[in-house]
Amino acid sequence: MQRVACAAHAASETREGGAVSPSAAPSALCLPPAVPSAAMTEFWLISAPGEKTCQQTWDKLVAATRNNNLSTNSKFNIPDLKVGTLDVLVGLSDELAKLDAFVESVVKKVAQYMADVLEDSRDKVQENLLANGVDLVTYITRFQWDMAKYPIKQSLKNISEIVSKQVTQIDNDLKSRASAYNNLKGNLQNLERKNAGSLLTRSLADIVKKEDFVLDSEYLVTLLVVVPNLLFEDQESGLFSVTLFRKAIDDFKHKARENKFVVRDFQYNEEEMKADKEEMTRLSTDKKKQFGPLVRWLKVNFSEAFIAWIHIKALRVFVESVLRYGLPVNFQAMLLQPNKKNMKKLREVLNDLYKHLDSSAAAIIDATMDIPGLNLSQQEYYPYVYYKIDCNLLDFK
């Protein structure tokens, strides 16, 4: 089967305005323009058939989007993958769509749980969400296929199954680790809540001392009474110990209620109090011990899941491009980072550029371009191959 190897540019990575050689020293790199935080970044991964050369396809896109600052563009490198049969590609197209959604959900779950675990350090979450040691924007715009993880000698189906198995394992591990850590954290928070708040509800064990009580008396008992503070005092109430005859307990409680005093149900028990303190110390120590390894696991597996997700996007572009544009394989994959203010204009430019590829899709776009809220299907369809990569992974409440 004849194939034209211009879907991939493994030897170099070209971004609008310069070329980067993987062998170049870091100081010699032609760095991409500064980009906003990945938390608010959206990319459009598209492909179009090669003209006489794939470089011409790329040049046309750059020329069309250069004016009005419509987008920042990068070539997206896809290697020379095995095509297989048409039937397999058709079936794989649907399977990859489902796998894409699943992997994205796992990426977001790992990212969100990272935010939950870091608690007060949520502002640092983004700097921990890296892919292959670099920020997400850099990874996507300089994407290179990982030949070791996903060997291109394997069939497309086998590669997708490798990803599926890998990410399913991450998802299962996340569930078990999160469950263990959440139980520990929840038990600790319950104990902490008992030792905080109003005198009406909080534990009194760390407030009272043994000498505050008459203990082991046949006739006398010490009660703890919460009395509302007088006017101008800062705290809501004060705690008092009252020692009285046991036979007078009911009368005392009745009088206390009449005066809006609250008699706390508390018995001084040194062993129980010691056990509670030891339990809190143990839980706090266990939480600290688990925190570091858990954060490291989340960082590593976020990276693995995100990398897998972008490889699935690459697979989808390859499969869909072959199905749409035919054989021999001849297309250019391109990554666009739209200027948020000019998204509608960018769509119009892309439609004009590629409407000859699929007149029916172009007609639908023309008809719906100015009808807000009209959604003909869940999957957006354009004359060119298109997949969105949304790096807004966190839901901060």
Side-chain angles (χ1 to χ4, degrees), residues 6 9 46-50 54 57-58 75-76 330-334:
C6 65
H9 296 262
I46 71 170
S47 82
C54 290
T57 304
W58 166 252
K75 284 184 178 179
F76 191 83
N330 181 23
F331 68 88
Q332 177 64 56
M334 299 164 284

Side-chain angles (χ1 to χ4, degrees), residues 40-312:
M40 296 300 293
T41 302
E42 176 180 315
F43 291 95
W44 295 356
L45 181 54
I46 71 170
S47 82
E51 307 281 342
K52 290 181 179 178
T53 67
C54 290
Q55 183 63 34
Q56 286 184 325
T57 304
W58 166 252
D59 291 341
K60 278 191 174 182
L61 174 78
V62 170
T65 59
R66 181 179 290 135
N67 295 332
N68 303 319
N69 189 26
L70 296 182
S71 61
T72 303
N73 310 320
S74 310
K75 284 184 178 179
F76 191 83
N77 301 321
I78 302 177
D80 195 19
L81 301 169
K82 286 189 173 183
V83 175
T85 66
L86 183 63
D87 287 347
V88 169
L89 289 179
V90 171
L92 193 59
S93 178
D94 292 335
E95 291 174 16
L96 287 173
K98 295 174 185 175
L99 184 57
D100 187 352
F102 168 67
V103 177
E104 180 180 5
S105 73
V106 174
V107 168
K108 288 184 175 180
K109 276 194 282 186
V110 176
Q112 192 61 48
Y113 195 61
M114 173 84 80
D116 294 344
V117 168
L118 289 177
E119 298 177 13
D120 294 337
S121 303
R122 279 186 166 214
D123 56 328
K124 297 181 180 177
V125 174
Q126 203 65 50
E127 66 190 48
N128 284 299
L129 298 180
L130 305 176
N132 226 13
V134 299
D135 66 86
L136 305 186
V137 170
T138 300
Y139 178 79
I140 296 172
T141 55
R142 300 179 181 179
F143 174 77
Q144 294 291 331
W145 188 274
D146 191 325
M147 302 289 183
K149 282 194 181 83
Y150 313 112
I152 61 173
K153 291 183 179 179
Q154 299 266 5
S155 68
L156 296 174
K157 187 167 181 62
N158 283 355
I159 295 173
S160 71
E161 287 172 353
I162 291 171
V163 172
S164 178
K165 184 177 180 181
Q166 175 196 15
V167 178
T168 298
Q169 186 62 52
I170 292 173
D171 190 36
N172 291 336
D173 287 351
L174 176 64
K175 288 173 184 174
S176 61
R177 288 171 185 269
S179 176
Y181 189 76
N182 289 347
N183 285 337
L184 177 61
K185 183 178 170 182
N187 291 337
L188 181 59
Q189 286 175 337
N190 288 337
L191 279 178
E192 288 172 342
R193 274 195 291 270
K194 283 173 62 178
N195 291 323
S198 165
L199 285 171
L200 296 172
T201 56
R202 63 161 294 167
S203 170
L204 303 176
D206 61 336
I207 296 177
V208 299
K209 299 183 289 291
K210 187 175 182 179
E211 52 265 31
D212 295 328
F213 294 83
V214 173
L215 301 172
D216 305 319
S217 169
E218 183 177 352
Y219 300 107
L220 297 175
V221 65
T222 300
L223 300 181
L224 296 179
V225 185
V226 178
V227 179
N229 272 342
L230 301 176
L231 199 60
F232 302 122
E233 292 196 15
D234 290 339
Q235 303 299 321
E236 293 179 358
S237 50
L239 183 69
F240 296 84
S241 64
V242 178
T243 301
L244 66 162
F245 288 107
R246 290 183 181 276
K247 62 183 182 180
I249 289 177
D250 289 342
D251 286 342
F252 178 82
K253 287 183 175 179
H254 178 71
K255 291 292 185 183
R257 279 195 299 272
E258 287 181 350
N259 288 278
K260 297 183 179 179
F261 302 161
V262 178
V263 179
R264 291 290 307 271
D265 183 15
F266 180 86
Q267 290 183 332
Y268 188 87
N269 186 313
E270 280 188 307
E271 289 185 1
E272 285 186 8
M273 291 160 64
K274 183 181 177 183
D276 282 348
K277 287 182 180 178
E278 288 176 349
E279 177 68 2
M280 178 171 284
T281 301
R282 183 188 68 79
L283 290 173
S284 181
T285 301
D286 286 352
K287 185 186 175 190
K288 288 175 183 176
K289 283 182 179 177
Q290 289 190 24
F291 177 82
L294 179 59
V295 171
R296 284 192 292 274
W297 184 90
L298 289 167
K299 287 176 69 172
V300 168
N301 286 276
F302 172 82
S303 176
E304 292 295 305
F306 189 85
I307 288 168
W309 186 36
I310 303 306
H311 279 76
I312 288 296

